[in-house]
Amino acid sequence: MGSADLRLVALAVLIGALACFCTTSLLSRAAASAGRARRGWLVASACVFGNGVWTTHFVDMVADRSSMPMGYAIRLTLLSSVIAIIGSLPGFALALRPNPAWSVRIWAGVITAGAVSAMHFTGMAALTFPGSITYDGRFVAAAIVLGMALGALAFRRAGEIGRLPVRLEMAVMLLLSIAAVHFIAMAGTRIVPGMGRMPGGLLLGRMTTLAAAAASAVAIGLGLMVALADQHWRHLEHEALRLRQLADSTIEGLLIHREGRVIWANAALHQVIGSVKPDLAGDEAAFIATADTREALQRHLAAPSPDIDVIEIERPDGTRRTAEILSRPINYGGHAAGVIALRDITERKRVEDRLSHLAHHDPLTGLANRTLFNERLAEAVAEAGRQQGGLALLILDLDRFKSVNDLHGHAVGDRLMQEAAARLVHNIREGDMVARLGGDEFAIVQVTGEQPASSAGLAQRLVDVLGRSFEIDGQMISIGGSAGIALYPQDGAEPSGLFQAADLALNRAKRDGRNTFCFFEPGMDIKFREHRMLEQELRQALAREELTVDYQPLVDCGTLEAKGFEALVRWRHPTRGFISPAEFIPLAEETSLIL
C-alpha cells in the first residue's frame, strides 16, 4: 500500500482509545447492575466496542494515500461491524461473572480479541480494487495471538472494574489488543495492483467510508458522555444512599421541614411515631405530637431552638410514646429549612417515674411514704394558712398487729397490711391523703369538711372498718385500730407541732382501751411526759427490785378455811410510795415489760 496520512492514523487511534474507555465505563455500570439492566449495559458495551474497532480499522484504511482506486463492499463492511459487536458480547459477559476463575478471564480475552480479528479480516475482505491481497501467515498468527494475550490481560482485574485506575488499565490493554491485531496484520498484508477496471456493484468510496466512520465516532463520543454522566449520577446516588443509610442508622429521629411541612424523615422517626406511611413528605409536622403537647413542637417549627422540650406521641395503634425534641435551622436543597431531632425517652421516663414512685411510696401498700407525706402535710398547712382555713391530721395505729405476725407469719401480716390500707383508701374523700409512716402506723390529712365534726366522723368510720374481721387465705383475723386527731391551727401551727399533737392523742386513745379515737387536748403533753417518766422508772424498778408480790388468801365463807391465794404484784416507789397496779400494769403491757 502507499504512504499513510498520519493525521487520520492518529484519529483512528484516538477513536479506538475513546471507544475502549467508554466500553470499560459501560462495563463497570453493568457490573453494578443486575437482571435486565445488566444485560442492557452489556449490549451497550458491545455496541460501543464493536463500532470503535470498526471505526479504528476503516479510518486507518482511509488514511492510505495510494493512487489506486478503492472501494468497500457495503454488505461485508456492515457485516464486519456486526461481527465485532456480536463477537465481543460473550467475552464481556464472561469477564463480568462473579469471582471468575483465571481460565474464564483468559477465555473472555480470547473471545474478545477473536472478534476483533474476525472484524479486521472481514473488513479487509470488503476492500474492492483492481488487484489482489496476500497475507504473510506469520504476521497474521502473531497479530491474532498477541491480540488474544493482550485481551486476556485486559480482563485480569475485571472484578475491580468499579475503580477508575482499573478501568483505565483495562482500556489501555483493549486498545493495545486492537492495535496489535490491526497493525501487525496490516504489516503482513500485501496489496498487488492488477489491470482492468474496478469491480461493479454497490461500493462505499473513501469519503463515504470516512463519513460513516465519523458518524460512528460521534456515536462513541455520545456513548462515552452517557457512560461518564451515568458514573457521575451513580456516584451521587451512592452518596445519597450512604447519607440516607447513615441518617436511618442514627438513634434519634430526624425530620426536615419547611414552613411546618415535612420534607424528609428518617427511619428512626417513622419507628418512633409508628407511621404506616412510607413517606411523610408534605404532611403537617405539628400533628406528630398529641394535642396537649403540640404547642411545644410548634415552637420548634416556627423558630428552631437548641432548647430541649418534651412531647407526647400517640401512635396509630393507640400506644403513646414520650420524646425529647430540639431543632436548628439548615440549608436544604438551596433553601432555608429546619431540622428537628427527636429522641424516644419512653423507657427512660418509665424508669425515672418508677424510681420516683419508689422514693415517695411504700412498696408494700403503694401508699405515700413518710417523705412524701411530710411534703404534702407542709403544703396543706401552707395552703390552709393562706386560705385561713383548717385541716385535720389523723395518726392511726393497728391494734394487735404484732401478734398477727407472731402467730400467722409475716406473709399473712403483709396481706393484712395491704387489706387494711385498701380499707383506709376506700373510706377517705377525694382531696384527702393517706400514707403509711412505717410498721403498722398510718397518717391521714383531711382538708375537706367542717372541723371537728368531719374528722370525728372519719375517725369513727376508720375505727369501725378496721374493727371488722379480715379474711386472709381462708383465715378470719381480727385486729382493730386506734386514732389520734390534731386540728390546724389550734393544736399546732407547724407540721411538726401538729404531728406531735396527733401522736399524743393516739397514745391517749390506746391508753383508753384501744379501738377508739381521741382528739388532742391541752395538757396531754404533760401527761405524756409523766407517762414516759413512769415508763423509765418502771424499767429501773425491775433492776432495783422495787416490785414485790403480796399473797391475798381466798377463804371459804362457810367454813372460813383458806382455799388458796391470789398473787398480787405491788410497786413500792422510793419517793411516791405505793403505785396502783391499775396505773403501771397497762404501761407494762404497752411496753412489753409485762413479759
Side-chain angles (χ1 to χ4, degrees):
M1 297 181 69
S3 61
D5 186 340
L6 296 180
R7 291 174 299 176
L8 289 179
V9 173
L11 178 61
V13 173
L14 177 61
I15 292 174
L18 289 175
C20 290
F21 180 71
C22 182
T23 299
T24 58
S25 298
L26 294 173
L27 285 175
S28 71
R29 194 66 183 94
S33 305
R36 182 178 298 177
R38 181 186 181 91
R39 292 191 293 271
W41 287 113
L42 281 172
V43 170
S45 303
C47 289
V48 168
F49 182 75
N51 279 320
V53 173
W54 184 89
T55 304
T56 300
H57 172 81
F58 280 96
V59 169
D60 183 68
M61 292 297 293
V62 172
D64 179 43
R65 292 177 175 175
S66 174
S67 58
M68 182 173 27
M70 289 186 179
Y72 299 93
I74 293 178
R75 292 181 180 178
L76 285 177
T77 300
L78 295 177
L79 178 61
S80 65
S81 177
V82 172
I83 288 174
I85 293 171
I86 296 178
S88 61
L89 184 59
F92 293 161
L94 282 176
L96 295 187
R97 288 176 60 181
N99 302 316
W102 270 105
S103 58
V104 174
R105 291 177 179 173
I106 291 173
W107 275 110
V110 167
I111 292 173
T112 303
V116 173
S117 301
M119 178 271 146
H120 174 84
F121 290 106
T122 304
M124 291 301 296
L127 182 63
T128 302
F129 63 97
S132 62
I133 299 176
T134 62
Y135 297 99
D136 186 330
R138 294 170 300 173
F139 283 89
V140 171
I144 296 175
V145 171
L146 183 58
M148 290 182 174
L150 291 171
L153 289 175
F155 295 124
R156 70 186 184 89
R157 298 174 64 187
E160 305 174 53
I161 198 170
R163 297 172 53 205
L164 178 59
V166 174
R167 292 201 300 275
L168 290 173
E169 178 186 326
M170 185 182 295
V172 170
M173 299 308 295
L174 285 175
L175 178 61
L176 291 176
S177 177
I178 296 170
V181 171
H182 179 78
F183 290 107
I184 295 177
M186 290 301 296
T189 302
R190 295 293 180 267
I191 297 178
V192 181
M195 299 298 292
R197 295 180 301 172
M198 286 276 291
L202 292 175
L203 299 176
L204 293 174
R206 290 190 177 186
M207 294 307 297
T208 306
T209 303
L210 189 59
S216 178
V218 171
I220 292 170
L222 291 175
L224 178 60
M225 292 175 61
V226 170
L228 293 176
D230 184 75
Q231 287 287 121
H232 176 70
W233 285 112
R234 185 175 61 167
H235 175 73
L236 293 181
E237 289 175 357
H238 176 73
E239 286 299 307
L241 177 61
R242 188 176 65 85
L243 291 176
R244 285 197 299 270
Q245 290 174 338
L246 180 62
D248 287 340
S249 65
T250 59
I251 298 174
E252 290 85 359
L254 297 177
L255 179 149
I256 298 177
H257 68 92
R258 186 176 292 122
E259 297 180 353
R261 288 195 174 273
V262 179
I263 302 175
W264 174 85
N266 69 347
L269 187 128
H270 280 262
Q271 184 177 3
V272 173
I273 68 175
S275 173
V276 295
K277 297 176 61 177
D279 190 3
L280 298 176
D283 289 359
E284 289 283 352
F287 287 96
I288 290 175
T290 57
D292 53 335
T293 61
R294 192 168 297 155
E295 183 180 351
L297 179 56
Q298 287 175 329
R299 285 198 302 270
H300 284 266
L301 293 172
S305 169
D307 296 333
I308 296 177
D309 282 302
V310 177
I311 64 170
E312 294 289 328
I313 299 167
E314 185 168 358
R315 291 174 160 182
D317 61 3
T319 60
R320 293 173 72 95
R321 308 296 291 181
T322 304
E324 289 179 342
I325 60 169
L326 54 86
S327 58
R328 61 175 296 178
I330 63 168
N331 185 292
Y332 187 80
H335 300 280
V339 59
I340 292 178
L342 181 148
R343 171 170 289 188
D344 189 347
I345 60 168
T346 306
E347 297 305 321
R348 189 183 80 188
K349 188 173 184 297
R350 184 177 293 125
V351 171
E352 290 174 351
D353 291 345
R354 176 61 178 165
L355 292 176
S356 176
H357 182 84
L358 291 175
H360 294 89
H361 292 80
D362 172 51
L364 179 62
T365 62
L367 300 177
N369 61 11
R370 183 181 291 271
T371 300
L372 181 58
F373 179 78
N374 289 338
E375 294 176 2
R376 296 290 176 82
L377 177 60
E379 293 171 0
V381 168
E383 180 65 21
R386 286 192 294 269
Q387 300 294 332
Q388 295 184 348
L391 61 83
L393 172 63
L394 290 78
I395 305 296
L396 188 143
D397 207 20
L398 301 183
D399 298 335
R400 299 180 298 277
F401 180 75
K402 185 177 183 302
S403 62
V404 174
N405 276 336
D406 295 339
L407 183 60
H408 299 284
H410 288 281
V412 172
D414 289 345
R415 290 282 305 281
L416 178 61
M417 185 67 67
Q418 292 170 338
E419 292 287 342
R423 291 187 184 184
L424 296 180
V425 171
H426 184 70
N427 282 275
I428 64 173
R429 296 177 181 177
E430 184 178 358
D432 297 342
M433 177 187 180
V434 58
R436 183 188 179 198
L437 303 183
D440 60 355
E441 190 176 46
F442 296 86
I444 299 170
V445 176
Q446 188 186 51
V447 296
T448 57
E450 295 293 330
Q451 300 301 346
S454 291
S455 56
L458 173 60
Q460 187 61 61
R461 287 199 307 274
L462 298 181
V463 168
D464 290 344
V465 298
L466 292 176
R468 294 199 295 267
S469 297
F470 293 83
E471 184 178 355
I472 308 295
D473 295 336
Q475 304 177 75
M476 302 304 295
I477 301 175
S478 298
I479 47 172
S482 302
I485 307 172
L487 303 178
Y488 172 86
Q490 56 265 43
D491 296 338
E494 297 294 332
S496 58
L498 201 61
F499 198 96
Q500 184 178 7
D503 198 39
L504 291 172
L506 172 61
N507 288 323
R508 175 63 178 272
K510 288 183 177 182
R511 291 198 303 273
D512 287 350
R514 305 189 180 190
N515 204 34
T516 186
F517 67 93
C518 182
F519 281 93
F520 173 79
E521 296 177 359
M524 275 187 177
D525 53 343
I526 298 175
K527 294 181 180 179
F528 178 74
R529 285 195 293 271
E530 291 177 350
H531 185 72
R532 291 304 179 201
M533 180 64 72
L534 186 62
E535 178 186 338
Q536 286 292 84
E537 290 178 342
L538 180 58
R539 294 180 184 277
Q540 296 172 3
L542 292 173
R544 293 196 293 258
E545 297 184 352
E546 294 174 2
L547 298 178
T548 60
V549 179
D550 290 346
Y551 296 94
Q552 177 172 294
L554 298 177
V555 178
D556 186 334
C557 293
T559 63
L560 299 180
E561 181 181 357
K563 297 296 186 180
F565 297 89
E566 229 180 353
L568 304 175
V569 65
R570 296 290 184 262
W571 182 9
R572 184 187 298 274
H573 194 277
T575 59
R576 296 169 58 180
F578 281 105
I579 298 178
S580 169
E583 187 175 354
F584 72 82
I585 291 298
L587 178 61
E589 291 176 341
E590 177 186 338
T591 59
S592 299
L593 291 175
I594 194 70
L595 300 179

